[in-house]
Amino acid sequence: MRSIRPSFTARRARSTRRRTSPVLAAVALVSTVALTATACESGDADVDAAASAAAGADDKFQLPDDIKDRLKEHGIDIDKWRDGAWKDWSKDDWLREADDFINPIIEDLWDPDRMREAEEPDQEVDNDISGDQGVTDPTPAPVEAEAVPASYHSNAPEAGKVFFDSPEGTMVCSATVVQDPANPGKSNMVWTAGHCVHAGKSGGWYRNIAFVPSYNDSGLSAADLAGATKEEVAPYGVWWGDWVQTSDQWIEQGGATGGDGAPYDFAVLHVTPEEGAGGKSLEEMVGSALPVDFDAPAVPEVESITATGYPAAPPYDGQTLYRCQDKPGRLSLNETDPTMYRIGCTMTGGSSGGGWVATGSDGKPALVSNTSIGPVTAGWLAGPRLGEEAKGVFDAVSEKFAGQ
């Protein structure tokens, strides 16, 4: 099946190539489960952060000296990188560590054609979850995904797509604009899956990571999009990740199949506009952002969850926003890891990273999870329950940009 995460050939900085899958879609689960692009098993709660280059007044990318030194160790010249050196995916140049990450803006790289053609490759997965030790409820009945009415901005303003490059080509995931407590009403934070930004234990950071809110806002068909302008495809602009953070569990132990690390498959991006946004933040630009609830009720107490995303694997084409609503059940891949939410849903690959919304602990709608994994045959999706580790990642990004 196609993975819900982005697909790619993952490699450690010093290891051989390995195939993983990044686009938002559904990878097979351990019992028909594995939809994460990379998975992470339980580990300590520390997190890895990724800083990207920012444009200076002279239109050159200014990097902290320590990052420059680490890039030099890899033989990377930032100007050559912008001119196309990023296409070199040799194992020595696949930056893995937190302080190695770079993501300089390459203007107009994400044009309508490139965005439209981003997709997720097929991926085989391990369908056996018979060895799981934790609590797993019966497989939910499939819930047919419903198309979100256009305009998407009017009906799901926080939703959008994450685009990035991997060794196997242009990839795509789904994502959600979330509130930043350090910058009330002016958030530049986006929530997605860890496998949409990092290849996990066998690779490093993906490249040219960018977020497009309300992608294809008017719901144009794939045929009509072939002649669409950038303004039609990305009406609220293209926003590049200038800082990315995911869990240590995902980075150190994330895997391509079997659902390994899926309970920690989440990430937070801080973004900046490719072109001037008139001084507006992402939240101000789209007019909305969701709070994130790190203390949501236990799975049996949640009455309903709505998952939203841009499924790209057949029968979908990745150009239309869909959603599923269902009462969640429990899915346990390992007795030592947090139990995941699982819902019936026919969305496929490409929906990875898309937000899961439920009534939060304060009684109001909040983001409580994101699409991580699903079966090869589709029919259901699973996402991590956001707890202490997720809050650590979120708080670190928020605090870094406090007051900015």
Side-chain angles (χ1 to χ4, degrees):
M1 97 166 261
R2 302 193 177 234
S3 71
I4 276 194
R5 16 177 213 194
S7 154
F8 54 91
T9 298
R11 290 176 288 184
R12 282 181 182 276
R14 293 181 175 82
S15 67
T16 58
R17 279 194 172 187
R18 164 188 183 130
R19 176 161 184 160
T20 52
S21 58
V23 178
L24 308 190
V27 182
L29 278 196
V30 170
S31 146
T32 111
V33 177
L35 270 192
T36 50
T38 43
C40 37
E41 295 180 5
S42 60
D44 59 42
D46 291 340
V47 293
D48 277 348
S52 87
D58 60 355
D59 199 31
K60 295 293 183 180
F61 292 96
Q62 306 299 319
L63 292 173
D65 290 339
D66 60 334
I67 295 181
K68 288 182 179 179
D69 291 341
R70 292 186 69 89
L71 293 178
K72 288 179 181 178
E73 293 176 5
H74 291 278
I76 292 176
D77 179 285
I78 202 65
D79 291 324
K80 291 181 179 179
W81 185 274
R82 290 176 59 199
D83 289 338
W86 63 266
K87 298 176 183 178
D88 178 6
W89 290 93
S90 65
K91 63 182 181 181
D92 291 334
D93 287 342
W94 194 344
L95 305 178
R96 171 177 177 79
E97 303 302 326
D99 52 359
D100 281 345
F101 182 90
I102 58 173
N103 195 49
I105 293 173
I106 302 176
E107 190 172 353
D108 294 328
L109 175 69
W110 293 110
D111 60 28
D113 289 340
R114 206 161 188 269
M115 286 189 276
R116 188 182 67 254
E117 293 168 2
E119 59 183 35
E120 170 196 16
D122 292 331
Q123 162 133 17
E124 294 181 358
V125 296
D126 181 353
N127 288 350
D128 181 13
I129 56 172
S130 60
D132 290 346
Q133 300 299 314
V135 177
T136 295
D137 292 322
T139 301
V143 172
E144 192 70 26
E146 296 183 354
V148 175
S151 78
Y152 301 151
H153 180 259
S154 299
N155 294 287
E158 303 89 1
K161 277 182 146 183
V162 169
F163 295 91
F164 55 96
D165 283 300
S166 80
E168 290 189 351
T170 302
M171 300 295 164
V172 64
C173 278
S174 299
T176 306
V177 182
V178 294
Q179 293 180 5
D180 179 0
N183 290 285
K186 297 183 178 182
S187 175
N188 283 307
M189 293 171 63
V190 175
W191 193 280
T192 190
H195 71 252
C196 298
V197 298
H198 194 285
K201 65 182 178 181
S202 297
W205 297 102
Y206 293 122
R207 300 173 182 173
N208 304 324
I209 300 172
F211 174 67
V212 176
S214 297
Y215 173 83
N216 187 24
D217 183 55
S218 57
L220 296 177
S221 67
D224 289 336
L225 279 173
T229 65
K230 189 171 184 178
E231 289 69 26
E232 290 175 311
V233 173
Y236 298 92
V238 175
W239 298 70
W240 285 69
D242 57 5
W243 183 267
V244 182
Q245 194 153 328
T246 188
S247 66
D248 267 354
Q249 290 93 333
W250 181 257
I251 290 177
E252 295 303 323
Q253 300 177 9
T257 62
D260 295 340
Y264 301 96
D265 184 19
F266 43 74
V268 177
L269 285 75
H270 187 276
V271 298
T272 190
E274 176 175 298
E275 300 177 353
K280 291 184 178 180
S281 65
L282 174 61
E283 181 177 359
E284 290 172 310
M285 182 65 74
V286 303
S288 185
L290 283 171
V292 182
D293 192 341
F294 299 101
D295 192 26
V299 175
E301 299 174 15
V302 179
E303 290 300 321
S304 176
I305 283 181
T306 299
T308 303
Y310 286 85
Y316 307 99
D317 61 12
Q319 310 308 316
T320 302
L321 186 63
Y322 282 84
R323 60 189 173 201
C324 292
Q325 183 175 4
D326 194 18
K327 180 176 176 58
R330 293 166 292 186
L331 176 66
S332 179
L333 302 179
N334 187 307
E335 64 179 354
T336 63
D337 288 341
T339 297
M340 301 178 72
Y341 293 117
R342 180 163 64 160
I343 63 172
C345 185
T346 60
M347 284 197 292
T348 60
S351 60
S352 284
W356 289 31
V357 178
T359 300
S361 55
D362 63 356
K364 298 179 181 179
L367 185 141
V368 298
S369 186
N370 58 263
T371 298
S372 174
I373 58 176
V376 172
T377 55
W380 56 264
L381 301 175
R385 185 180 186 279
L386 307 183
E388 180 180 348
E389 291 82 5
K391 190 174 188 303
V393 170
F394 179 83
D395 287 348
V397 178
S398 176
E399 291 167 6
K400 178 174 180 60
F401 293 90
Q404 298 183 33

